[in-house]
Amino acid sequence: MREITLDSITDDQLQSEAQLLVNMLRVKYPKLDLRRGTVLRDLLVDADAAVGAWFAAQADEQRLASSLLTLSERAEAGEEIDEADVNAVLSNFDMKSVSGTKARGYVRVLVSSGDRTHTVLEGTKFRTVDDVFFSAMWDVSAATTPSGDQVKQYATGTGTFWYLVPVEADEPGANGNLEQGLALEPATALADFVSASSYAAFSGGSDLEELDKTVDRIKSSLSVRNLTSSTAVEAQLRDRYDSGDNPIVAVSVCGYGNAAQRRDKHNLFGTAVGGRADIYVRNFTELPIADNQSHTGTVVDREYDSDETRDFTISIPHDDTPGGLFVYSVSDPDSNALASYAFTVDYSGDVSGVWHDFKTDGDDVHELANTVWRDFTITVKGVPVTGEELAAGEKEFRVVMVSLPAAESLQEYVDDGLVRNVASDYVVRGPMIVNMSVNAVVRYRYSTGFDVSRAVAEICQYVNNTGFQGRMTRSEISAILMDLGAASVDLFDENDMLYGYVYDAYGVKHELTGDALDLDLVENPEAMLTADTAVFVLEPKNVHITTMAV
Amino acid sequence: MPRATTRSYAGRQVDLELLKHIEETLPKQPVEPDVVETPRIVSGIEKAVQRYTKLFLTNLGSVRLDTTIGNDLLRGIAEGRVQNQAELDHLYSEANAATLDALSIDDEDTDVYGDIPDDERIESTTLENLELVYDSMTGGRVKVHIILTTAAGNDFRFIIPVAAGVT
C-alpha cells in the first residue's frame, strides 16, 4: 500500500476537508469568523483539515489496495504494486501470488594454470554486462586431479584450464535465464582468471506472476481441494508448488474421454473405461534443462575400420534424470560449442514394481513418455577418441537433457495416500514441448527507434507463459512487436515466420512451420501428441529480428 | 472621508487579536504582532486590518493547506530584488492585488460565512508610502504605509513594518 503523507494530499482535498470543518463549526459557533486570513481559521480549521484529509486519503488508499481490479489497473498504468497488498486480498481465497524465482546455472571459469587448486568461495559474485548478479551457491575447489569434494579442472588443450561454479541469481526474475556462452565477470579477483561464461543456458528464473494471471487462478483456488476434476487437480498442485522453486504455469488433465489418454484402453476392444488420468504439468517458463549433464558413454562393441573414432552408447536411467522429456544435445564436456553430435535415442523402462497401469511391450514404452519411469539410451556414432578413451572403452560426454522440473516430487505428491483419489490412477507427465523459433522483419520509424533486446525478451516472456493452447500464431507475435513501436512486421521469408519441432511419445520428431504453429496438423492421440498435451517454448537465441528504419 | 462612529460590535463575528490594539483615534499607527496576558477578540475595522495584514505578509506557497494564498513581497525583499523604489512599488502592487483577491474568495461566499458588515469589507487600499529604513544593527525595515478604505466609507491609515535585512 502506498504510504500517505501530507505531500500526497492535493490542495483540493485539503480545501474540501477545510470546507467541511467550517460548515460544522459555523453551525455550532456562528459568531466565529473562520474566513481566510483570520487567526481562528489557522487555529481551528487548517490543522484539523490536514488531519482529516490525511485520514480520508488513507481510507481511500486502503479501499483501492483491497481490490485486485484497481491494483491491476494501477499496474497497467505503470505504477509499482506492493506484492503484500495483492497477497492480502488473495488470502481471502486461501491463495497467494506466485513469487518470482531465481535462475540457476553453472559458470565456466577459465584459468591460465592447472598447476594448482583454484577455489571460489560461496557467495562470490559474478555479473553480466547488463548488471545481472549471480552468487556462488557453495564453496568450489577445483583441481586437475580432484580428491574428496574437489571438482575437476579440465584442460582445454591450449594451456588453459576450466572448472564449473554453480551459481544462483541474486534477484528473482526471468532476466537471470542466461543463454549458453554469455560472458560473466567476477566481482572479486580470482586466481589465474582468464574469463568466465555461462556453461549452459541458465534456467529456473521467473518474474513475479502478473496480476491478471493471478486473478485467473482464483477460480481454481476456489474449487474443492481433491483430485476429482481438472480445476481441482490444478488447485491442489498450485497449493503445494506455487510457493516453491517451480511454481505451476499451467496444468492439463487428460482423463476419461480424452483422446490422448491411452492407459484406460488396456482391454480387448481398446475402449476407454476410465479410472486413469494423466496430469500434464508446465512448471517452467523457459526450456527446462536438467542439472546433471555429465555422463559416461560406453564404446559400442563392433568392428571398426580405424582407431580414430568410435560409436558410443550413453545410458541415462530414470533415476538419473527423472521426468526426461527429450535429449537436446550431446557434445564433449570441454567444448563450449553450441553444436551437437548427431545422435539417436531409444527408450525403455521397467514398470514391474510400479502400481500404476502402464502397458509396455518390449521396446514400445510410449506410455511411459515424459514420466519419471522412462529410461534413455543415446547412441552417438563416429566420435573422435583419444588413446586413453580408446583403452578405457569409455568417454565423458555432456548430455543436455530437457526434463520436467520436480517431476519426482509431483508424482510422489499425487501418489501420496492422503492426496490421491482412491478411485483413479494418476500419472504426472511433462508436456510435449514445441521448441519454437521466430523470424521477422520489423520496420520502425527512425525517430522512435526499436529496442530489439526488449522485443526478444517480451516475445519469449509471452510464449513461455502460455498454457496448453494448441496453437501459436503470427498475429500474437506481431501484436507484441507493434506494441513496442514497430511500424510493420513482415515475414522473414514467405510463410516462414514461425517454426517449431516437437517429439511425440514414440520419440518421433514433428516439424511445424508457417504463419501459425497448429498442433492439429501433427496431432496423434495414440502418440499422446494433442493440443491438450503440448506447450510452446521459445528460447531467446531462437528469435531472429531484422530491423529496418523507414 | 467620514469615520465610522459606532463601536458596538454586538452580533458581529469575531476573531482573536493578533496585532497590537488598533486605535482609530490616532491618525496613523504601526500594526505589529504582540503577545499579551489577556487574550482579546477583534471585530470590525480591527479585524479587517488584521486579516489584510496577515494575508499581505504571507509568503506564497508557505501555507501547506492552501498554496495559492500569499504573495512574493517578503521573499522579493529578502532576495534583494528591490533595487529601487519602482521595483518596490511593483512588488507592492502585486502583493496588494493577491491579498484583496484572497479576502474576496470568502467574503463573497455569504452562504457559508454569512454577510459581513460594510465596515469589515475592504473596498480598496492605497499605498501612501513605502519607506526603506536602513539600520546596520537590525538589518533595516521596509515600512508600508497603507490607506485602507472599507465599503462603509471609512479610511484607516496604518503602517506595516517588514523586516528587510537592508543594511
Side-chain angles (χ1 to χ4, degrees), chain A residues 6 11 26 35 42 46, chain B residues 47 54 64-65 67 107 112:
Chain A
L6 276 183
D11 281 358
R26 283 195 52 76
R35 289 173 292 168
D42 290 348
D46 287 352
Chain B
K47 189 174 67 173
K54 192 168 169 297
R64 178 61 186 87
L65 276 79
T67 53
D107 287 355
V112 174

